[in-house]
Amino acid sequence: MRLSPTSLRLVLGLALPILSHAEPLPGTQPLENPGDLSAQMVAGIGRYLDREIARAADERLQRWKTRDAGQTDSHRQLLRTRLGMSDPTVSGGLEVIQPLGAPVVESREAGYRALRVRWPVFEAVWGEGLLLQPLGESRATIIAIPDADQTPEQIAGLVPDLPLNAQFARRLAEQGCTVLVPVLVDRRAIWSGTPLLDRWTNLPHREWIYRQAFEVGRTLLGYEVQKILRALDILGVSDATACGVAGFSEGGRIALHAAALDPRIDATLIRGYFGSHRKLWTEPIDRNLFRYQRDFGDAELAALIAPRPVVVEHTEVAAFTSPPPAAKGQRQVAAPGAIRTL
């Protein structure tokens, strides 16, 4: 039988006095919290996540304290999985892409030449950068990785934008090393959109690629580490070859992961990047890797590199804050996050 609206109001009216005097169920109490309940809920979620992050780091430390040396290979495979490094590499070698008519930069005094090059990584993806070749016999092969907003020419000293002590690729080349300096995806927002629909966003390029890669189980960090490891293959690096990686800021993050994954790398220099990162949620969103912190932190990556040497240099990094201001025609959708000196 269906109650009429009048009958329903009568039933509810009779029930309300009974409900208002009902005793709470055992183990419960009335919800009488003053203030905005939604804000309290968000604050509670934040406290829960802070506790879980701290707990995950503590549990990770205990697991790594008791790990067996024979687990190194399995840890490296797990790291590759967390970075989404599942794309098969493609064949090919180093290609010189010097612009037509552009002279090769060669310094007889310093003893090396500079070439713009690219190399295949996996399907439809290429690495690109600057190759500094010694004019004599090479003493070692080094991958020198700049910060995301630096160019290879800057850390190679080919443009006068950085102080001499920041031109670490140039200094390595002057010591007779073969130095490859890759281009990283930068943090501008020029290409974050589609001309097909004429829709543009203020997403930094790193966030733009990260968001799309996340949907298919890949990561921007994984892409850039794969470029480094593929370059080692193409440059003929083997266990008998002296090889190192050096990176600054975002480049230091990439160098740390590359060295953790590849035992051919004999020595690692990390400048302006190394720490606990327990507040990873305050950093740019492209550094947020699914299930990563349950198993890995910077100390654990260093443990995968050991006993090979790792040099950590504390230095100032260029501050970065997201979201950047939206230019005309750009949608403001970028996530918050900041990079500052640790």
Side-chain angles (χ1 to χ4, degrees):
M1 181 180 67
R2 183 175 180 180
L3 294 177
S4 67
T6 302
S7 301
L8 183 59
R9 285 195 295 270
L10 179 60
V11 170
L12 291 176
L14 293 173
L16 284 175
I18 299 174
L19 293 174
S20 63
H21 293 87
E23 292 295 325
L25 294 173
T28 68
Q29 61 185 14
L31 181 61
E32 297 175 345
N33 291 13
D36 186 339
L37 293 181
S38 62
Q40 295 175 35
M41 178 187 70
V42 171
I45 291 172
R47 290 191 296 272
Y48 166 76
L49 292 176
D50 285 342
R51 289 197 305 269
E52 287 299 298
I53 290 171
R55 185 175 66 84
D58 293 339
E59 291 180 354
R60 182 182 71 222
L61 176 63
Q62 294 305 315
R63 289 199 303 272
W64 278 78
K65 278 184 176 179
T66 59
R67 79 182 184 103
D68 187 274
Q71 294 178 292
T72 298
D73 288 342
S74 62
H75 278 106
R76 285 180 176 148
Q77 185 54 51
L78 179 60
L79 179 58
R80 293 180 71 93
T81 300
R82 294 288 181 263
L83 298 183
M85 296 171 57
S86 57
D87 295 285
T89 58
V90 295
S91 60
L94 209 62
E95 298 181 10
V96 177
I97 55 172
Q98 204 79 5
L100 185 64
V104 173
V105 178
E106 185 173 301
S107 173
R108 289 285 173 181
E109 181 181 353
Y112 64 89
R113 67 172 62 89
L115 299 169
R116 291 180 177 85
V117 296
R118 70 172 189 167
W119 61 98
V121 183
F122 50 89
E123 185 178 1
V125 173
W126 291 71
E128 188 173 323
L130 196 65
L131 179 66
L132 308 180
Q133 288 182 322
L135 300 180
E137 184 177 354
S138 177
R139 300 177 61 183
T141 298
I142 309 292
I143 309 293
I145 313 172
D147 191 14
D149 289 325
Q150 293 177 333
T151 66
E153 288 78 10
Q154 286 177 314
I155 69 166
L158 299 183
V159 292
D161 293 345
L162 296 177
L164 290 177
N165 61 358
Q167 299 171 18
F168 61 98
R170 176 188 62 80
R171 296 166 67 186
L172 289 164
E174 289 176 347
Q175 296 301 313
C177 299
T178 298
V179 183
L180 180 64
V181 190
V183 176
L184 301 189
V185 176
D186 63 37
R187 302 187 184 99
R188 296 177 297 169
I190 297 173
W191 309 110
S192 299
T194 170
L196 183 63
L197 301 175
D198 193 27
R199 296 187 67 182
W200 304 94
T201 74
N202 71 330
L203 294 173
H205 293 152
R206 298 187 68 80
E207 182 178 345
W208 173 256
I209 295 177
Y210 164 84
R211 287 178 177 272
Q212 296 171 77
F214 184 88
E215 299 292 334
V216 291
R218 309 294 194 273
T219 68
L220 176 59
L221 176 60
Y223 288 154
E224 292 182 319
V225 170
Q226 282 178 280
K227 291 179 182 180
I228 304 306
L229 303 187
R230 181 64 181 137
L232 296 181
D233 298 334
I234 292 174
L235 291 171
V237 173
S238 66
D239 293 337
T241 308
C243 173
V245 291
F248 171 63
S249 193
E250 198 70 41
R253 178 173 177 248
I254 296 166
L256 181 62
H257 286 80
L261 286 169
D262 199 325
R264 292 177 297 176
I265 297 172
D266 299 308
T268 306
L269 170 63
I270 310 297
R271 303 181 67 240
Y273 179 89
F274 200 91
S276 70
H277 300 282
R278 286 201 177 190
K279 292 189 175 181
L280 192 62
W281 49 270
T282 66
E283 299 181 32
I285 193 173
D286 64 89
R287 292 186 173 186
N288 184 13
L289 307 178
F290 185 66
R291 292 184 63 86
Y292 177 88
Q293 286 205 319
R294 292 179 182 273
D295 300 292
F296 300 103
D298 290 358
E300 287 73 26
L301 296 178
L304 285 179
I305 300 173
R308 294 169 289 152
V310 180
V311 177
V312 177
E313 178 184 341
H314 182 272
T315 186
E316 294 287 326
V317 302
F320 169 78
T321 302
S322 184
K328 184 178 180 180
Q330 289 181 332
R331 298 171 59 210
Q332 301 190 40
V333 293
I339 295 175
R340 55 182 62 89
T341 302
L342 297 175

